[in-house]
């Protein structure tokens, strides 16, 4: 029996995969797209949570993100409002819509320089109230955002980056099997390739004492283009 046939006939139980991300981070977006692709060929279900690059860097001496104006807090605050009022699936739709190709690049609707869309446009595209965009310049949801961020950091320590992924035990949903940063990809694996990356990531992350594995340096201009497999 082939490995593929074994996988189909054994009907493995669904794994809940908790994902913490900053919606403005292009590499987090690519990881999210990979997980959606992997979910098409492996029994996994992502649940979306927030963390923040700005909060990761707020106690450091240097602004490694070059965000002196505090703009990185805008999309993640809007995301916190979305999750508060509409849940994690809506947060996933908002995230996908932030990176969707809305209109022509550089025009009134599209993203220029391969960065995120205007949150108002993203909210409308995701079928969410555009009034939530006002949260981007408000501190109303900061307590929830900081609590979610702290949960991600607790899993991996203060050196964690975004995204953080945690995988539960199918037999005991509240038992954590493994947690890891990334994986960082510069393009999105599709189909069985996405499934194999999932298998390998679970394998190495589940080995006691395993800490880090790196490939070549990440592409400074990752391919964030292309359609998402779904907005859920």
């Amino acid at each position: 029996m082939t490995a593929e046939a074994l996988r189909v006939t054994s009907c493995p139980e669904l794994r809940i995969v908790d994902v913490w991300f900053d919606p403005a981070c292009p590499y987090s977006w690519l990881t999210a797209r990979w997980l959606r692709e992997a979910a098409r060929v492996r029994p996994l279900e992502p649940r979306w949570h927030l963390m923040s690059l700005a909060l990761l860097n707020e106690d450091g001496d240097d602004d490694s993100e070059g965000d002196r104006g505090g703009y990185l807090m805008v999309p993640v605050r809007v995301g916190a409002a979305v999750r508060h009022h509409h849940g994690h699936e809506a947060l996933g739709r908002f995230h996908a819509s932030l990176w969707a190709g809305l209109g022509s690049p550089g025009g009134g609707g599209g993203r220029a320089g391969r960065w995120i869309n205007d949150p108002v446009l993203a909210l409308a595209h995701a079928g969410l109230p555009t009034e939530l965009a006002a949260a981007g310049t408000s501190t109303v949801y900061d307590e929830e955002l900081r609590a979610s961020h702290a949960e991600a950091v607790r899993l991996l320590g203060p050196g964690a980056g975004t995204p953080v992924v945690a995988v539960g035990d199918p037999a005991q949903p509240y038992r954590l099997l493994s947690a890891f940063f990334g994986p960082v990809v510069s393009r999105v694996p599709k189909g069985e390739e996405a499934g194999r990356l999932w298998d390998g990531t679970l394998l190495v992350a589940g080995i006691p004492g395993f800490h880090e594995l790196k490939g070549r340096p990440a592409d400074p201009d990752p391919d964030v283009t292309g359609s998402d497999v779904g907005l859920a």
Side-chain angles (χ1 to χ4, degrees), residues 74-75 78 82 90 93-112 115-134 231:
V74 173
V78 177
V82 168
R93 296 200 311 274
F94 172 65
H95 188 205
S97 293
L98 273 175
W99 289 94
L102 304 183
S104 58
R111 60 179 182 271
W115 206 54
I116 59 174
N117 294 304
D118 185 308
V120 174
L121 293 173
L123 288 165
H125 184 258
L128 295 164
T130 56
E131 293 81 3
L132 293 176
L231 294 181

Side-chain angles (χ1 to χ4, degrees), residues 45-66:
E45 180 180 321
R47 289 190 304 202
W48 308 107
H49 310 266
L50 290 166
M51 60 187 303
S52 165
L53 283 167
L55 295 182
L56 282 173
N57 297 323
E58 70 175 347
D59 295 327
D61 295 330
D62 299 321
D63 178 13
S64 60
E65 302 299 327

Side-chain angles (χ1 to χ4, degrees), residues 45-180:
E45 180 180 321
R47 289 190 304 202
W48 308 107
H49 310 266
L50 290 166
M51 60 187 303
S52 165
L53 283 167
L55 295 182
L56 282 173
N57 297 323
E58 70 175 347
D59 295 327
D61 295 330
D62 299 321
D63 178 13
S64 60
E65 302 299 327
D67 185 41
R68 294 177 182 174
Y71 299 111
L72 279 176
M73 286 298 289
V74 173
V76 74
R77 279 173 166 160
V78 177
V82 168
R83 199 180 197 286
H84 175 88
H85 291 286
H86 299 280
H88 86 92
E89 291 184 352
L91 174 60
R93 296 200 311 274
F94 172 65
H95 188 205
S97 293
L98 273 175
W99 289 94
L102 304 183
S104 58
R111 60 179 182 271
R114 290 188 172 185
W115 206 54
I116 59 174
N117 294 304
D118 185 308
V120 174
L121 293 173
L123 288 165
H125 184 258
L128 295 164
T130 56
E131 293 81 3
L132 293 176
T137 53
S138 167
T139 60
V140 170
Y141 302 97
D142 278 14
E143 185 174 348
E144 290 179 48
L145 172 59
R146 286 181 177 273
S148 178
H149 178 88
E151 188 176 5
V153 171
R154 276 196 298 271
L155 289 170
L156 297 182
T162 174
V164 169
V165 178
V167 184
D169 185 341
Q172 303 177 58
Y174 295 101
R175 176 174 175 258
L176 179 68
L177 285 183
S178 61
F180 47 87

